[in-house]
Amino acid sequence: MSSLFPSLYDLAMQPLEKRKFRKIRSEILSMADGRVLEVGAGTGINFPLYKNADRVDAIEPNQAMIEKSISRKNSAAVPIHIHRQSAEDLEFADKTFDSAVATLVFCTIPNPDKALAEIKRVCKPKAKILFFEHVKMEQPALALAQEALNPIWKRICDGCHLNRDTLLAIQESGMKVTNVTSYYKGLFLVIECENNDGSR
Ligand SMILES: C[S@@+](CC[C@H](N)C(=O)[O-])C[C@H]1O[C@@H](n2cnc3c(N)ncnc32)[C@H](O)[C@@H]1O
C-alpha cells in the first residue's frame, strides 16, 4: 500500500471533482436515504453531500484514508459512523441497510464478487444500491489502451484496475439494475440498482 496515495488523492482528484464529479456525486447521494452503507469511503469526499440519510455507516480498510476523512465526518449534515472494514467481509447483520453507495471503489476492491454478495446480504430487500465507477470502455481501441495501461496504473494508483467490467459483475450478482448513465464516453458509469428480494 503506497503511503503517498491517501495524501495525494484529494489533490489529484480536484480537477475532475470541480468539473463534473461533484454534481454526479450530489445526484446519487441525494437518492440514498434511511440507514446508508457507504463502501470504501476513502477521504470522506461524499460525506458533506448526504442530505436525506438518517445515518451513514462508512466502511474503509485503510487507516490513513480514515484519518483524512474525520474532519469531513465531523462537519457532515447527517450522522456518519466510520468502521475499519473491508467490503468482502462486512460486520453488519443481514438486511440492515435501506441504501448502499460505492463511488470509485469497485476498481480497487480485491474481490469484487464477494463484496457485491456482502452488500446484497446487508441490504434490505428493495434497498437502493448506487454505484459511480470507472469501467472498461466498450470502444475496442480504448479498451485495448486501458488493458495496456493497467499494470502501471495499478502500481501507481494503489491497486486500482482500469479494465474491470463492473456493470457485468453487478448484473451477475443478481442485483436488479434499474438505470445506467454514462459519462466521458462510457469511462464512468452511474449504476442504480435495487436489491433483490433475497431469493437468490
Ligand atoms: C479510489 S478510492 C475512492 C474513495 C472514495 N469512495 C471516492 O469516491 O473518492 C478507493 C477506496 O477504496 C478503498 N478500498 C480498497 N479496498 C477495499 C475493500 N476491500 N473494501 C472496501 N474499500 C476498499 C481504498 O482504501 C480507497 O479508499
Side-chain angles (χ1 to χ4, degrees), residues 1 7 9 13 34 39 47 54 56 80-81 83 103 109 113 121 126 133 147 149 154 157 164-165 167 172 175 177 198:
M1 163 86 50
S7 308
Y9 185 75
M13 292 295 287
V39 177
F47 293 170
D54 295 336
V56 177
I80 312 249
H81 301 260
H83 310 267
T103 62
I109 288 177
D113 293 340
R121 179 184 66 76
K126 310 272 184 219
E133 297 290 346
E147 285 295 347
L149 271 175
K154 265 199 299 188
C157 297
R164 284 197 172 159
D165 191 341
L167 177 57
E172 289 181 345
M175 289 176 193
V177 176

Short mmCIF file of all heavy atoms in Angstrom, two decimals, residues 1 7 9 13 34 39 47 54 56 80-81 83 103 109 113 121 126 133 147 149 154 157 164-165 167 172 175 177 198:
data_model
loop_
_atom_site.label_atom_id
_atom_site.label_comp_id
_atom_site.label_asym_id
_atom_site.label_seq_id
_atom_site.Cartn_x
_atom_site.Cartn_y
_atom_site.Cartn_z
N MET A 1 0.85 -1.20 0.00
CA MET A 1 0.00 0.00 0.00
C MET A 1 0.88 1.25 0.00
O MET A 1 1.71 1.43 0.88
CB MET A 1 -0.89 -0.06 1.24
CG MET A 1 -1.55 1.22 1.66
SD MET A 1 -3.12 1.55 0.85
CE MET A 1 -4.02 0.03 1.07
N SER A 7 -2.49 10.80 0.84
CA SER A 7 -2.17 12.23 0.91
C SER A 7 -2.44 12.93 -0.40
O SER A 7 -2.84 14.09 -0.44
CB SER A 7 -0.69 12.43 1.26
OG SER A 7 -0.38 11.69 2.39
N TYR A 9 -4.57 11.86 -2.86
CA TYR A 9 -5.84 11.51 -3.53
C TYR A 9 -6.72 12.74 -3.80
O TYR A 9 -7.12 12.99 -4.94
CB TYR A 9 -6.61 10.47 -2.71
CG TYR A 9 -7.86 10.00 -3.42
CD1 TYR A 9 -7.77 9.12 -4.49
CD2 TYR A 9 -9.12 10.47 -3.05
CE1 TYR A 9 -8.91 8.70 -5.17
CE2 TYR A 9 -10.26 10.05 -3.72
CZ TYR A 9 -10.14 9.17 -4.77
OH TYR A 9 -11.27 8.76 -5.45
N MET A 13 -7.61 14.43 -7.52
CA MET A 13 -9.00 14.35 -8.00
C MET A 13 -9.62 15.73 -8.23
O MET A 13 -10.67 15.84 -8.86
CB MET A 13 -9.85 13.59 -6.98
CG MET A 13 -9.51 12.12 -6.87
SD MET A 13 -9.87 11.23 -8.38
CE MET A 13 -11.65 11.17 -8.31
N GLY A 34 -32.66 6.74 4.45
CA GLY A 34 -32.72 5.77 5.55
C GLY A 34 -31.33 5.52 6.11
O GLY A 34 -30.49 6.42 6.14
N VAL A 39 -19.45 2.23 1.00
CA VAL A 39 -18.36 1.25 0.85
C VAL A 39 -17.10 1.96 0.35
O VAL A 39 -17.15 2.65 -0.66
CB VAL A 39 -18.79 0.17 -0.16
CG1 VAL A 39 -17.67 -0.82 -0.41
CG2 VAL A 39 -20.04 -0.56 0.33
N PHE A 47 -19.05 12.68 2.21
CA PHE A 47 -19.75 12.95 3.48
C PHE A 47 -20.54 14.26 3.48
O PHE A 47 -21.68 14.27 3.96
CB PHE A 47 -18.76 12.93 4.67
CG PHE A 47 -18.14 11.59 4.96
CD1 PHE A 47 -17.09 11.48 5.87
CD2 PHE A 47 -18.61 10.41 4.37
CE1 PHE A 47 -16.51 10.25 6.17
CE2 PHE A 47 -18.03 9.17 4.65
CZ PHE A 47 -16.97 9.10 5.55
N ASP A 54 -30.63 9.04 7.18
CA ASP A 54 -30.81 9.17 8.64
C ASP A 54 -29.47 9.00 9.34
O ASP A 54 -29.18 9.61 10.36
CB ASP A 54 -31.76 8.07 9.17
CG ASP A 54 -33.15 8.24 8.60
OD1 ASP A 54 -33.50 9.37 8.22
OD2 ASP A 54 -33.88 7.23 8.52
N VAL A 56 -25.25 7.33 8.25
CA VAL A 56 -24.38 6.66 7.28
C VAL A 56 -23.35 5.83 8.04
O VAL A 56 -22.69 6.34 8.95
CB VAL A 56 -23.65 7.69 6.38
CG1 VAL A 56 -22.69 6.98 5.41
CG2 VAL A 56 -24.64 8.55 5.61
N ILE A 80 -22.46 10.32 10.73
CA ILE A 80 -21.62 9.38 9.97
C ILE A 80 -20.82 8.55 10.97
O ILE A 80 -20.19 9.11 11.87
CB ILE A 80 -20.63 10.13 9.05
CG1 ILE A 80 -21.31 11.22 8.24
CG2 ILE A 80 -19.79 9.15 8.22
CD1 ILE A 80 -21.45 11.04 6.79
N HIS A 81 -20.84 7.24 10.80
CA HIS A 81 -20.07 6.34 11.66
C HIS A 81 -19.07 5.61 10.78
O HIS A 81 -19.47 4.95 9.81
CB HIS A 81 -20.99 5.34 12.35
CG HIS A 81 -22.04 6.00 13.19
ND1 HIS A 81 -21.95 6.12 14.55
CD2 HIS A 81 -23.20 6.62 12.83
CE1 HIS A 81 -23.01 6.76 15.00
NE2 HIS A 81 -23.79 7.09 13.98
N HIS A 83 -16.20 2.79 10.05
CA HIS A 83 -15.78 1.46 10.53
C HIS A 83 -14.59 1.00 9.70
O HIS A 83 -14.63 1.09 8.46
CB HIS A 83 -16.89 0.43 10.35
CG HIS A 83 -18.23 0.88 10.89
ND1 HIS A 83 -18.66 0.59 12.15
CD2 HIS A 83 -19.22 1.62 10.31
CE1 HIS A 83 -19.87 1.10 12.34
NE2 HIS A 83 -20.23 1.74 11.23
N THR A 103 -18.59 4.69 -4.52
CA THR A 103 -18.10 5.57 -5.58
C THR A 103 -16.62 5.34 -5.81
O THR A 103 -15.81 5.44 -4.88
CB THR A 103 -18.37 7.07 -5.26
OG1 THR A 103 -17.69 7.44 -4.07
CG2 THR A 103 -19.87 7.35 -5.09
N ILE A 109 -11.32 -2.82 -5.14
CA ILE A 109 -11.61 -3.93 -4.22
C ILE A 109 -11.01 -5.23 -4.76
O ILE A 109 -11.27 -5.60 -5.90
CB ILE A 109 -13.15 -4.06 -4.04
CG1 ILE A 109 -13.67 -2.90 -3.19
CG2 ILE A 109 -13.52 -5.40 -3.42
CD1 ILE A 109 -15.17 -2.88 -3.02
N ASP A 113 -16.64 -9.67 -6.56
CA ASP A 113 -17.83 -10.53 -6.49
C ASP A 113 -18.23 -10.80 -5.04
O ASP A 113 -19.41 -10.77 -4.68
CB ASP A 113 -17.59 -11.86 -7.23
CG ASP A 113 -17.43 -11.65 -8.73
OD1 ASP A 113 -17.87 -10.59 -9.23
OD2 ASP A 113 -16.86 -12.53 -9.40
N ARG A 121 -26.24 -8.87 0.93
CA ARG A 121 -26.63 -9.52 2.20
C ARG A 121 -27.05 -8.49 3.25
O ARG A 121 -28.06 -8.67 3.93
CB ARG A 121 -25.46 -10.36 2.74
CG ARG A 121 -25.76 -11.06 4.06
CD ARG A 121 -24.54 -11.81 4.62
NE ARG A 121 -23.45 -10.93 5.02
CZ ARG A 121 -23.43 -10.20 6.13
NH1 ARG A 121 -24.43 -10.22 6.98
NH2 ARG A 121 -22.37 -9.43 6.42
N LYS A 126 -35.22 -4.72 -1.79
CA LYS A 126 -35.64 -3.47 -2.46
C LYS A 126 -34.78 -2.25 -2.07
O LYS A 126 -35.10 -1.13 -2.47
CB LYS A 126 -37.11 -3.11 -2.20
CG LYS A 126 -38.10 -4.23 -2.43
CD LYS A 126 -38.55 -4.26 -3.86
CE LYS A 126 -39.61 -5.33 -4.06
NZ LYS A 126 -39.48 -6.03 -5.32
N GLU A 133 -18.73 4.43 -10.92
CA GLU A 133 -17.50 3.66 -11.10
C GLU A 133 -16.87 3.94 -12.46
O GLU A 133 -17.59 4.21 -13.43
CB GLU A 133 -17.79 2.16 -11.01
CG GLU A 133 -18.33 1.69 -9.67
CD GLU A 133 -17.29 1.74 -8.55
OE1 GLU A 133 -16.09 1.88 -8.84
OE2 GLU A 133 -17.69 1.64 -7.38
N GLU A 147 -6.24 -1.82 -21.18
CA GLU A 147 -5.52 -3.07 -20.85
C GLU A 147 -4.02 -2.81 -20.79
O GLU A 147 -3.33 -3.29 -19.89
CB GLU A 147 -5.78 -4.15 -21.91
CG GLU A 147 -7.14 -4.80 -21.85
CD GLU A 147 -7.38 -5.62 -20.59
OE1 GLU A 147 -6.43 -5.91 -19.83
OE2 GLU A 147 -8.56 -5.93 -20.34
N LEU A 149 -2.40 0.00 -20.25
CA LEU A 149 -2.00 0.88 -19.14
C LEU A 149 -2.18 0.23 -17.76
O LEU A 149 -1.60 0.69 -16.78
CB LEU A 149 -2.89 2.14 -19.16
CG LEU A 149 -2.41 3.32 -19.98
CD1 LEU A 149 -3.50 4.40 -19.97
CD2 LEU A 149 -1.12 3.89 -19.38
N LYS A 154 -2.13 0.24 -11.91
CA LYS A 154 -2.39 -0.46 -10.65
C LYS A 154 -1.31 -0.15 -9.61
O LYS A 154 -1.59 0.02 -8.44
CB LYS A 154 -2.40 -1.98 -10.88
CG LYS A 154 -3.77 -2.54 -11.12
CD LYS A 154 -3.83 -4.05 -10.89
CE LYS A 154 -2.92 -4.83 -11.80
NZ LYS A 154 -3.11 -6.27 -11.73
N CYS A 157 -1.66 3.68 -8.62
CA CYS A 157 -2.94 4.10 -8.01
C CYS A 157 -3.45 3.07 -7.01
O CYS A 157 -4.67 2.79 -6.96
CB CYS A 157 -3.97 4.40 -9.08
SG CYS A 157 -3.51 5.77 -10.13
N ARG A 164 -11.91 -3.18 -15.46
CA ARG A 164 -12.96 -4.03 -14.87
C ARG A 164 -14.33 -3.76 -15.51
O ARG A 164 -14.71 -2.60 -15.70
CB ARG A 164 -13.05 -3.80 -13.36
CG ARG A 164 -11.91 -4.48 -12.63
CD ARG A 164 -12.20 -4.61 -11.17
NE ARG A 164 -11.17 -5.42 -10.53
CZ ARG A 164 -10.91 -5.41 -9.24
NH1 ARG A 164 -11.62 -4.64 -8.44
NH2 ARG A 164 -9.97 -6.18 -8.75
N ASP A 165 -15.07 -4.83 -15.77
CA ASP A 165 -16.44 -4.69 -16.27
C ASP A 165 -17.38 -4.77 -15.07
O ASP A 165 -18.00 -5.80 -14.79
CB ASP A 165 -16.75 -5.79 -17.29
CG ASP A 165 -18.07 -5.52 -18.03
OD1 ASP A 165 -18.88 -4.72 -17.50
OD2 ASP A 165 -18.28 -6.10 -19.10
N LEU A 167 -20.20 -3.24 -14.46
CA LEU A 167 -21.65 -3.38 -14.74
C LEU A 167 -22.01 -4.86 -14.88
O LEU A 167 -23.00 -5.32 -14.30
CB LEU A 167 -22.03 -2.59 -16.00
CG LEU A 167 -23.49 -2.71 -16.44
CD1 LEU A 167 -24.45 -2.29 -15.33
CD2 LEU A 167 -23.74 -1.88 -17.70
N GLU A 172 -24.39 -9.82 -12.78
CA GLU A 172 -24.22 -11.23 -12.43
C GLU A 172 -24.42 -11.49 -10.93
O GLU A 172 -24.66 -12.63 -10.52
CB GLU A 172 -22.85 -11.73 -12.89
CG GLU A 172 -22.80 -11.85 -14.42
CD GLU A 172 -21.47 -12.36 -14.95
OE1 GLU A 172 -20.49 -12.37 -14.19
OE2 GLU A 172 -21.44 -12.74 -16.14
N MET A 175 -28.27 -8.32 -8.43
CA MET A 175 -28.94 -7.04 -8.17
C MET A 175 -29.74 -6.66 -9.41
O MET A 175 -29.32 -6.96 -10.54
CB MET A 175 -27.91 -5.93 -7.91
CG MET A 175 -27.19 -6.05 -6.61
SD MET A 175 -25.93 -4.78 -6.44
CE MET A 175 -25.01 -5.40 -5.04
N VAL A 177 -30.60 -4.05 -11.96
CA VAL A 177 -30.11 -2.75 -12.45
C VAL A 177 -31.31 -1.97 -12.99
O VAL A 177 -32.01 -2.43 -13.89
CB VAL A 177 -29.04 -2.94 -13.55
CG1 VAL A 177 -28.61 -1.59 -14.13
CG2 VAL A 177 -27.84 -3.70 -12.99
N GLY A 198 -34.07 -11.29 -1.89
CA GLY A 198 -33.38 -12.24 -1.02
C GLY A 198 -33.56 -13.69 -1.45
O GLY A 198 -33.13 -14.60 -0.78
#
